[in-house]
Amino acid sequence: MPEEIESTDKVGSVNGNRYAEIVAELRKLVETSSRIQFTIGDYALEVEPMREHGGSAPADEPFTVKDSLFRLSEDIGLSYSTVKTARWTASRWPEDRRVSRVSFTVHNILAGIVDDEERWATILTPPEGKSRWTPDEAKRHTGRQVVKPVTPQEKITAIHTLARDEDVAAAVTTDFLKRPTVAAKVPEQEKVRVVEEFTRDESVATTAATSLLRRPDVAFRAMSDDTARHQVNHARSTCRTRRSAPPSASTTPPGWSSRPTASARASSPSTRRTR
């Protein structure tokens, strides 16, 4: 049994001992798979060596890098991205720096470490408390998003990633704010900012203000603000003026003509005297 596999009663449908046997066998296959992927990368590097940043192919070369790698991938029955990744990863790990007990996937993730010496030292030093590198630990070390978030920040990052779509973000925010304990932890200034954002629409702002001012404590505190009190008093004064103003003399009810009708002209005194 591998020393880092803890003996448990059951994992999935198998007992702890059988699970450890499966892990041991699969690790051998992973090592073989990693060698195969590195070999693919090495051959791809032979076809298309890595070029200096900004470099270009000699004028007499018939293929670009992508074209030649795409042809290679087609000829061996793999995807272009698989061959491209294998080539780049192999270029970052010289043969004498590759670690057989570490998967090709981890080599690929740690390949993102820019400094050569740091990269080669890192792969030989698993995280504290771990006997070997895992893909998530490698991502955590290089600052990439992990598959299974553990820390609060990792969970926050995962939520942000899932909520990039505006509709999803709106639905998630609504659900979160329905939880009293969550809403209670939102800083007061952030709550104010959210309310201001939601009330940019005049009709929403009117409805919200009306509802809030019906609460005595809220109304009292709001009226303690000189600017708010002035605006309310001004609005009340304007409303009274509009209500008490007589109808305009020039205002004609809808459907009525502003010109006198023929019967009205005939019945007027001036018209009768003329006749």
Side-chain angles (χ1 to χ4, degrees):
M1 179 184 295
E3 66 281 359
E4 63 271 26
I5 299 295
E6 297 181 0
S7 178
T8 58
D9 293 334
K10 201 171 187 181
V11 179
S13 297
V14 298
N15 60 37
N17 290 332
R18 178 54 185 157
Y19 177 77
E21 292 173 358
I22 291 173
V23 169
E25 290 299 317
L26 288 179
R27 282 180 177 173
K28 295 176 184 177
L29 294 177
V30 169
E31 286 189 24
T32 302
S33 175
S34 295
R35 286 196 298 271
I36 292 171
Q37 289 174 289
F38 269 123
T39 301
I40 292 171
D42 290 336
Y43 279 129
L45 279 172
E46 184 177 346
V47 173
E48 276 291 354
M50 300 301 292
R51 302 175 186 179
E52 295 295 330
H53 181 69
S56 59
D60 59 346
E61 289 191 3
F63 295 113
T64 65
V65 173
K66 183 173 181 179
D67 287 338
S68 54
L69 291 182
F70 184 80
R71 175 174 176 175
L72 177 62
S73 65
E74 291 280 288
D75 287 340
I76 63 176
L78 294 177
S79 68
Y80 165 74
S81 61
T82 297
V83 174
K84 178 184 176 183
T85 299
R87 169 178 172 265
W88 179 75
T89 305
S91 74
R92 304 290 287 168
W93 296 99
E95 190 170 354
D96 61 337
R97 296 293 183 175
R98 300 169 189 174
V99 181
S100 60
R101 295 181 65 252
V102 178
S103 70
F104 181 85
T105 300
V106 170
H107 278 86
N108 172 256
I109 297 169
L110 295 181
I113 299 175
V114 177
D115 183 76
D116 290 342
E117 295 299 329
E118 179 186 353
R119 182 168 64 253
W120 298 334
T122 298
I123 202 168
L124 296 174
T125 312
E128 185 177 356
K130 304 286 185 179
S131 61
R132 60 194 299 130
W133 281 101
T134 66
D136 260 8
E137 290 293 351
K139 289 179 180 179
R140 193 169 284 117
H141 183 85
T142 54
R144 294 169 58 179
Q145 185 175 339
V146 298
V147 174
K148 185 178 180 181
V150 175
T151 67
Q153 185 56 52
E154 289 173 352
K155 294 176 181 178
I156 291 171
T157 300
I159 291 172
H160 278 295
T161 300
L162 293 172
R164 284 176 181 169
D165 181 271
E166 295 296 330
D167 292 336
V168 174
V172 169
T173 302
T174 302
D175 289 343
F176 283 167
L177 292 177
K178 288 178 181 177
R179 295 159 59 178
T181 54
V182 173
K185 292 182 180 180
V186 178
E188 182 176 345
Q189 190 58 41
E190 284 300 307
K191 292 178 182 177
V192 172
R193 187 183 66 80
V194 169
V195 171
E196 290 176 344
E197 189 66 31
F198 285 166
T199 54
R200 289 184 185 275
D201 182 273
E202 292 296 330
S203 62
V204 174
T206 301
T207 303
T210 302
S211 298
L212 291 172
L213 289 175
R214 286 173 178 165
R215 295 159 59 177
D217 288 345
V218 173
F220 176 78
R221 293 181 183 180
M223 292 304 100
S224 299
D225 182 90
D226 292 340
T227 302
R229 186 172 61 256
H230 172 75
Q231 293 289 4
V232 170
N233 290 336
H234 177 71
R236 292 175 62 188
S237 176
T238 302
C239 185
R240 288 198 197 99
T241 301
R242 289 177 180 176
R243 287 177 178 175
S244 61
S248 173
S250 61
T251 302
T252 305
W256 288 30
S257 173
S258 59
R259 299 178 58 187
T261 62
S263 59
R265 289 198 302 270
S267 62
S268 67
S270 60
T271 303
R272 287 199 296 272
R273 283 197 299 272
T274 303
R275 290 179 180 174

